[in-house]
Amino acid sequence: MTQLALDAKNSDDELRRARFARVRLLNEELDKLVTDAADRTVSVNSKASFLAVSAGVLVAASTVQLWTKSPAFGVAALGLACVALACAAVAVRPGKRMGIQARRLVDRYADSTTSALQVESQIIEDKANALTQRESDLRSRAVWVWWGFAALALAAAALTVVFAVEVLGG
């Protein structure tokens, strides 16, 4: 082999090693982002669960007696608490599984002639796509929780008004 051919081969090897290192780094970072998304999903689910319990308490408080002096506020409190409860239910609804599926990986790569580096590159692309879908779903669920808390606050305010009017005799 000539020196020029050796230099070209070494250069190609260096490029492959550098790409391999980048792919590995991306893979590790995507795994960290998946863990972060899982933590945020737990947080949104916890908030939605708290919202559901709080809305249930307001539903019970709204229906504990017949409001005679300001029934519209009592009905508004009940309706808004039900809206908050519905928002919580939507936020914690079961969703489709997002991520790389085991069977698909095996079917796609087990008997493939694709190099390990190419497989890993395709897997990180799949991870990135799955993470993008998961982030979108998480944002949607968080919006439902936010609207639920807004409805809950309005329900609490309406219930406070009707209770004050009943107690103070206004």
Side-chain angles (χ1 to χ4, degrees):
M1 246 187 194
T2 68
Q3 185 61 36
L4 189 57
L6 284 174
D7 288 344
K9 183 181 181 315
N10 287 339
S11 177
D12 286 345
D13 288 345
E14 285 296 319
L15 289 173
R16 276 194 290 281
R17 278 193 287 278
R19 185 170 195 288
F20 183 75
R22 282 193 309 275
V23 167
R24 283 291 162 104
L25 178 64
L26 287 170
N27 201 9
E28 290 172 13
E29 287 303 312
L30 285 170
D31 287 343
K32 290 176 188 174
L33 290 172
V34 166
T35 300
D36 179 57
D39 291 344
R40 287 184 290 116
T41 299
V42 168
S43 174
V44 167
N45 286 341
S46 296
K47 288 176 179 115
S49 296
F50 174 79
L51 175 61
V53 169
S54 300
V57 168
L58 280 182
V59 166
S62 297
T63 59
V64 75
Q65 74 180 51
L66 186 59
W67 305 105
T68 58
K69 296 190 179 166
S70 255
F73 279 100
V75 171
L78 177 61
L80 288 164
C82 289
V83 167
L85 190 56
C87 287
V90 171
V92 296
R93 74 195 179 281
K96 67 178 186 173
R97 184 192 184 292
M98 286 176 258
I100 300 173
Q101 294 155 357
R103 174 53 41 204
R104 184 170 169 251
L105 275 178
V106 171
D107 291 346
R108 193 166 153 191
Y109 299 117
D111 296 322
S112 174
T113 58
T114 308
S115 74
L117 179 59
Q118 289 171 322
V119 169
E120 192 162 14
S121 295
Q122 291 170 353
I123 288 173
I124 65 168
E125 187 64 38
D126 290 346
K127 280 183 179 180
N129 290 334
L131 190 56
T132 299
Q133 290 174 342
R134 188 173 189 174
E135 290 289 335
S136 176
D137 182 63
L138 183 58
R139 275 191 300 278
S140 171
R141 290 172 188 265
V143 167
W144 281 104
V145 170
W146 190 91
W147 281 109
F149 274 112
L152 185 69
L154 292 173
L159 188 58
T160 301
V161 168
V162 74
F163 183 76
V165 168
E166 288 285 331
V167 169
L168 299 175

